[in-house]
Amino acid sequence: MIQGVIFDLDGLMFDTERIWDSLWEPVLTELGLPYFEGIGDTVRGSTGDAMARTLRQLYGPDCDTAAIVAALYRKAGEIFARPVPKKPGLDALLAWLKEQGIPAAVASSSAEQTVRTHLKNGGIEDCFAAVVAGDTVSRSKPAPDIFLKAAGLLGADPAHCLVLEDSHNGVRAGAAGGFVTVMVPDMMPVTDEMRQLSACQCASLNEVLDKLRAGEF
């Protein structure tokens, strides 16, 4: 029986991945750096040291990764100050979990302030018993640390805890932590690796809810 559900945020609960992708080119141009097509896909689902390593691979070992990330979040903050669209099925799924008494948590690679802004603007702050952001763990996805911390706060055994993810790094993290990991793809396709690592793949959160109601997890 599922003891808890852990949600990713960007691309899973909110339609924000396209916004993040659109920010890379202006931010890098502003900093005098070249833009590499697909950089958003490369870093999606990661933060901290993992993102910094990727940026240094692209821009050299002396690259000021902190300046890039700070500029990215500054531009994102201007946009995210206003509500962004929720993904289909989110409200219905959260309402069902509340009815069933199943606790939920957020485990996002984004900074905590950004996460909480989205939850507040979306009117769903009170739906989550725990929030774990990327800047509160030492290792980012694909390491399982963020999900293990969230499960601990929920008091849930990973083997009986659902992780909902849209990114490849997120699915890898869920699988590495021994969670029942479900991929709900957004901008990244379902690959053979994702099929092997995830319990199943759902087209939307509506389908996740249908499977939970049917007792498939």
Side-chain angles (χ1 to χ4, degrees):
M1 178 180 176
I2 293 299
Q3 300 172 349
V5 179
I6 303 175
F7 291 73
D8 176 47
L9 187 132
D10 293 295
L12 189 283
M13 289 200 291
F14 294 95
D15 195 6
T16 51
E17 291 290 19
R18 290 161 185 80
I19 297 173
W20 282 111
D21 276 6
S22 72
L23 299 179
W24 280 102
E25 188 167 10
V27 163
L28 293 169
T29 299
E30 178 184 295
L31 296 174
L33 295 169
Y35 168 72
F36 292 98
E37 192 70 36
I39 188 173
D41 289 338
T42 304
V43 302
R44 186 166 291 118
S46 66
T47 188
D49 289 343
M51 182 182 287
R53 282 194 298 273
T54 300
L55 292 173
R56 283 194 291 267
Q57 288 172 359
L58 293 171
Y59 298 105
D62 297 325
C63 166
D64 189 348
T65 59
I68 296 175
V69 173
L72 192 69
Y73 270 95
R74 184 170 61 251
K75 283 192 176 293
E78 297 169 2
I79 298 172
F80 294 156
R82 301 178 295 278
V84 296
K86 297 177 188 176
K87 299 294 279 187
L90 176 62
D91 287 330
L93 175 55
L94 290 173
W96 186 86
L97 292 174
K98 184 176 181 180
E99 289 172 3
Q100 301 301 310
I102 299 173
V106 179
S108 169
S109 293
S110 291
E112 184 168 3
Q113 182 178 351
T114 302
V115 173
R116 293 194 179 276
T117 295
H118 284 309
L119 298 181
K120 181 178 180 180
N121 287 346
I124 55 174
E125 289 177 285
D126 296 338
C127 295
F128 298 98
V131 173
V132 184
D135 51 359
T136 66
V137 292
S138 58
R139 296 191 305 166
S140 69
K141 305 170 189 176
D145 302 35
I146 194 167
F147 291 136
L148 292 171
K149 183 175 180 179
L153 292 171
L154 293 181
D157 178 356
H160 299 285
C161 189
L162 204 64
V163 160
L164 303 178
E165 264 288 356
D166 68 292
S167 76
H168 292 177
N169 278 334
V171 171
R172 292 175 184 126
F179 292 87
V180 181
T181 306
V182 176
M183 184 175 185
V184 186
D186 179 38
M187 296 186 67
M188 304 191 78
V190 177
T191 63
D192 288 341
E193 180 196 6
M194 295 300 105
R195 291 186 185 92
Q196 292 172 358
L197 292 178
S198 59
C200 69
Q201 306 82 46
C202 292
S204 70
L205 294 176
N206 284 316
E207 187 176 346
V208 173
L209 177 54
D210 289 342
K211 288 182 178 296
L212 279 166
R213 282 175 170 157
E216 295 185 25
F217 298 122

